[in-house]
Amino acid sequence: MADFDFTPLLPPGSPPPAAKWTGSPRYNFTGGNNDPAQVPVEALRVAADAVLRREGASLAYYGVAHGPQGYRPLREFLAAKLKRDAGIGCTADDILLVSGSLQAFDLINGALLAPGDTVIVERDTYQGMLNRYARSGVNAVGVPVDRDGLQIDSLADTLAALRAKNIRPKYIYTIPTVQNPTGTVMPVDRRTKLLELASSYGVPVFEDDCYSDLIWSGERPPALYAMDTTGGVIHIGSFSKSIAPALRVGFIVAPWPILSRMIALKVDAGSGALEQMVLAEYCTPRFAAHVPALRRGLRKKLETLMAALDEQFGTAAEFDDPPGGIFLWVKLPDQVDTMRLYQSALAAGVAINPGPEWSTDATHARSRMRLCFASPTEDEIREGIAILADICRKEFGVPERSANIELRAERR
Ligand SMILES: Cc1ncc(COP(=O)(O)O)c(C=O)c1O
């Protein structure tokens, strides 16, 4: 069949065409995937059976007749969970269920942002958000992150500098609880200061909390949304990191004046209801027991990854032992360009996320990389890191030698 030429019909600003998927790399340290062995398949199957038997006929109605905010029992589960874990006092009516928290990004950005607007973000942050800003002509100003998350002094300087230029940022986007990619958790006193600063400049805070269930200790600081007294915080979360990303179920908690704007923009006639029904059925009795087991498994994989890096890279790989999550943010020696390392490693079947794709500052992130340890097996972690070190040595001369395991104690 001849190829019809759609190109002249594409509106200006269309993204470049997607590359065809050619399969997963053998050693995959990319993306925010979960551990396949930890998906509670059998219990989800039982939950699906029970909820379909009981309520399956309600699938005849858009949104299973629970309105545009999504399946009510799941919103009720979330309201109770958010109260217990994050200190958030909200009801099912304050929650909008969405198709993964990526849809939350689009609704929040759709409600608040126009081309030319400015937002403040953590300097190293989630690529999915940076891409959205780039595509929509939004200027993202990065504020450095230290071991306690977003640096408040730098945030104060940034807000003041923007004000001096008459720029009011539309929001501060932060991942305060297990930051992506750095893994940091912002302590309570810094949360208080962040909220004070934001409110003194009249800037809302966009809190992305999708990793907050994955803190090893099981204890997390209260959400910014819970601590706020101004109504200027929007909170989002997801079941992707605690249950499974392919379900595509996330949520927004926000004060009605702005939540109602997002509902008005959600014109997809509701997110998939079956996933919401199964999650509610599964989570209400089982979530609290599932998550600690998931955390233990992830922590074990992290330890395997840190040991493999120590063994293969020695002191050439610098990282902090993160308090939770699924990522390790690794600094390699300055001569390593991780965009190049990424290409060569991929050719050898090892996929990494090069730092510059996860930062507003490509120079700072040039020799950094993000490694996801949740989805590869422990054997794949060990083998993949050995191959990566070999490639890095050939391309950049570091690490100079392997089997530096004795250096581990020295570094930490
Ligand atoms: C910080 C952050 N926010 C949002 C998302 C998107 O998650 P979801 O699967 O809920 O769309 C991710 C996915 O990795 C993420 O890391």
Side-chain angles (χ1 to χ4, degrees), residues 31-32 99-103 105 126 173 175 180 208 210-211 236-241 245 248-250 327 370:
S99 305
S101 49
L102 286 172
Q103 189 180 39
F105 286 8
Y126 178 46
Y173 169 67
I175 312 165
N180 178 3
D208 185 346
C210 68
Y211 296 100
I236 71 167
S238 176
F239 288 93
S240 292
K241 313 303 169 181
R248 310 306 304 130
V249 182
F327 304 117
R370 194 193 74 163

Side-chain angles (χ1 to χ4, degrees), residues 4-261:
F4 183 85
D5 185 10
F6 286 94
T7 320
L9 305 175
L10 299 175
S14 293
K20 272 217 170 105
W21 189 68
T22 53
S24 292
R26 171 89 181 80
Y27 302 98
N28 190 1
F29 297 98
T30 66
N33 296 310
N34 222 316
D35 183 351
Q38 300 253 26
V39 177
V41 176
E42 189 52 28
L44 287 173
R45 198 188 60 74
V46 171
D49 190 55
V51 75
L52 274 174
R53 273 171 202 263
R54 198 180 62 238
E55 296 174 38
S58 65
L59 287 165
Y61 305 100
Y62 285 100
V64 285
H66 288 197
Q69 287 173 246
Y71 184 61
R72 193 164 184 100
L74 186 58
R75 288 187 278 134
E76 277 161 2
F77 163 77
L78 279 170
K81 175 196 181 303
L82 288 166
K83 177 80 203 153
R84 187 185 63 234
D85 297 344
I88 292 178
C90 70
T91 70
D93 294 328
D94 304 312
I95 298 174
L96 171 62
L97 296 175
V98 289
S99 305
S101 49
L102 286 172
Q103 189 180 39
F105 286 8
D106 292 331
L107 296 176
I108 295 166
N109 291 347
L112 291 172
L113 302 184
D117 277 347
T118 294
V119 294
I120 295 179
V121 302
E122 284 141 355
R123 175 173 60 182
D124 305 316
T125 189
Y126 178 46
Q127 183 197 30
M129 190 58 119
L130 291 176
N131 288 344
R132 280 168 164 74
Y133 298 140
R135 248 180 232 173
S136 51
V138 168
N139 176 30
V141 180
V143 172
V145 173
D146 62 22
R147 287 189 166 130
D148 287 338
L150 194 64
Q151 280 180 12
I152 297 300
D153 291 348
S154 308
L155 175 64
D157 292 346
T158 302
L159 284 163
L162 289 171
R163 177 174 278 177
K165 289 193 259 176
N166 262 329
I167 297 172
R168 180 179 176 187
K170 283 294 183 75
Y171 59 64
I172 300 164
Y173 169 67
T174 175
I175 312 165
T177 316
V178 192
Q179 208 262 350
N180 178 3
T182 61
T184 52
V185 176
M186 190 187 287
V188 176
D189 59 333
R190 206 177 268 203
R191 288 175 192 242
T192 307
K193 287 184 189 139
L194 165 59
L195 289 169
E196 281 168 6
L197 251 183
S199 117
S200 72
Y201 278 86
V203 177
V205 175
F206 176 170
E207 173 177 46
D208 185 346
D209 227 24
C210 68
Y211 296 100
S212 59
D213 290 316
L214 303 184
I215 297 187
W216 314 135
S217 69
E219 277 172 33
R220 54 154 301 163
L224 292 167
Y225 190 93
M227 296 173 65
D228 168 60
T229 53
T230 68
V233 177
I234 298 168
H235 177 97
I236 71 167
S238 176
F239 288 93
S240 292
K241 313 303 169 181
S242 52
I243 308 285
L247 292 173
R248 310 306 304 130
V249 182
F251 58 91
I252 304 174
V253 189
W256 182 250
I258 187 69
L259 191 70
S260 55
R261 300 277 173 173

Side-chain angles (χ1 to χ4, degrees), residues 304-360:
T304 302
L305 174 61
M306 293 192 296
L309 286 166
D310 277 330
E311 184 175 343
Q312 301 296 338
F313 282 82
T315 49
E318 293 172 35
F319 49 85
D320 286 329
D321 179 349
I326 56 175
F327 304 117
L328 197 62
W329 182 235
V330 181
K331 168 80 177 74
L332 294 172
D334 288 345
Q335 69 261 42
V336 180
D337 171 353
T338 54
M339 294 299 279
R340 250 177 67 203
L341 178 63
Y342 155 74
Q343 295 288 354
S344 322
L346 195 59
V350 181
I352 59 163
N353 284 126
E357 293 183 353
W358 302 82
S359 185
T360 58

